[in-house]
Amino acid sequence: GRIIGKEGRNIQAFERATGVDVIIDETPDVITLSSFDPLRRHIAAIAMQKLIKDGRIHPARIEEVVKKTQEEVQTEIRKAGEEAAIRTKISGLPPEIIKILGSLKFRTSYGQNQLNHSIEVANIAGMLAEELNADVRIAKTAGLLHDIGKAVDHDVPGPHHHLSAEIARKYGFEERIIQAILSHHDDVPAQNIEDFIVKAADSISGSRPGSRRESL
């Protein structure tokens, strides 16, 4: 009753603040938060848990808790991006790229976490490049950034690898890195050895046993 509020005011305030649908049906002790945006879902889930624990649920309090949660999650995103750069030993990434990378923590593809996948691809690409005397820095950087378009593809139309390349170009990455990002799917032909390496590393990470499953 407190979550719903008088004439549904609390739910309406929560949905406005988070951009997430709140579904309460006959199932006892269950609230469903529904949204195609996984980051919004994450923020809404934390905010809802805080509100239930606190017990003071009214529109002004809802706005306050959601705002504070959004700030906390932004910090979590930045830390996740910084950790990805440390784990792949790639330095000098712009703060905006760190933030976009961190937000991949809340995306999955066939059940595989996209940030972990990007870190794996970067490290596998680096090892392959070293064995083949290719440019390790280009292969690793392209591997880490190859899927960053998935962080924005629910807001911006276009294939994710094209979005990834556009983001890399916007922040001044060199053309060979952009080319390796673009060519990890089949619509843009691979030209350099690093292109083939990133494509192979992506396939290895995505097809290893246990990495993916059918997702509802």
Side-chain angles (χ1 to χ4, degrees):
R2 275 182 306 179
I3 291 161
I4 294 167
K6 192 179 177 185
E7 295 170 356
R9 277 179 204 154
N10 289 349
I11 280 189
Q12 287 165 17
F14 189 87
E15 289 181 338
R16 264 198 315 275
T18 58
V20 168
D21 292 329
V22 180
I23 301 161
I24 297 177
D25 55 23
E26 300 80 43
T27 316
D29 302 323
V30 173
I31 299 163
T32 303
L33 302 173
S34 174
S35 169
F36 284 112
D37 186 329
L39 186 53
R40 284 184 183 180
R41 273 203 314 268
H42 180 72
I43 291 166
I46 293 171
M48 183 63 82
Q49 284 162 357
K50 282 182 181 175
L51 286 162
I52 291 167
K53 194 175 177 184
D54 181 45
R56 291 174 295 158
I57 307 175
H58 52 81
R61 179 73 181 145
I62 287 165
E63 277 183 34
E64 183 190 325
V65 168
V66 169
K67 190 165 185 274
K68 194 166 187 300
T69 304
Q70 285 168 339
E71 288 165 6
E72 287 168 5
V73 170
Q74 287 308 315
T75 304
E76 189 184 341
I77 284 169
R78 195 190 70 249
K79 282 182 180 168
E82 286 167 355
E83 193 185 321
I86 291 163
R87 284 175 63 187
T88 54
K89 297 183 174 68
I90 297 171
S91 58
L93 293 174
E96 295 85 356
I97 290 289
I98 293 280
K99 190 178 168 188
I100 296 168
L101 256 179
S103 63
L104 287 177
K105 180 181 177 179
F106 302 102
R107 292 299 305 268
T108 59
S109 179
Y110 297 100
Q112 185 177 32
N113 181 278
Q114 282 301 123
L115 182 57
N116 291 341
H117 167 65
S118 297
I119 292 167
E120 261 180 29
V121 172
N123 287 329
I124 294 166
M127 286 186 270
L128 290 172
E130 210 165 312
E131 291 291 333
L132 296 166
N133 291 323
D135 192 311
V136 173
R137 182 185 61 83
I138 284 175
K140 279 183 92 166
T141 307
L144 184 63
L145 304 182
H146 81 290
D147 270 353
I148 51 172
K150 286 186 178 177
V152 299
D153 64 0
H154 48 260
D155 297 322
V156 184
H160 75 268
H161 54 300
H162 287 262
L163 295 174
S164 300
E166 278 173 36
I167 293 166
R169 187 173 281 118
K170 181 182 174 183
Y171 291 105
F173 287 90
E174 61 210 86
E175 207 53 48
R176 276 176 72 190
I177 290 172
I178 293 162
Q179 167 63 26
I181 291 169
L182 261 180
S183 60
H184 83 271
H185 284 301
D186 295 327
D187 61 333
V188 176
Q191 294 173 4
N192 310 306
I193 187 168
E194 292 82 14
D195 303 358
F196 290 100
I197 285 170
V198 171
K199 195 171 181 176
D202 181 41
S203 296
I204 291 166
S205 171
S207 63
R208 65 171 173 73
S211 67
R212 294 190 171 186
R213 62 180 185 271
E214 277 305 310
S215 67
L216 283 167

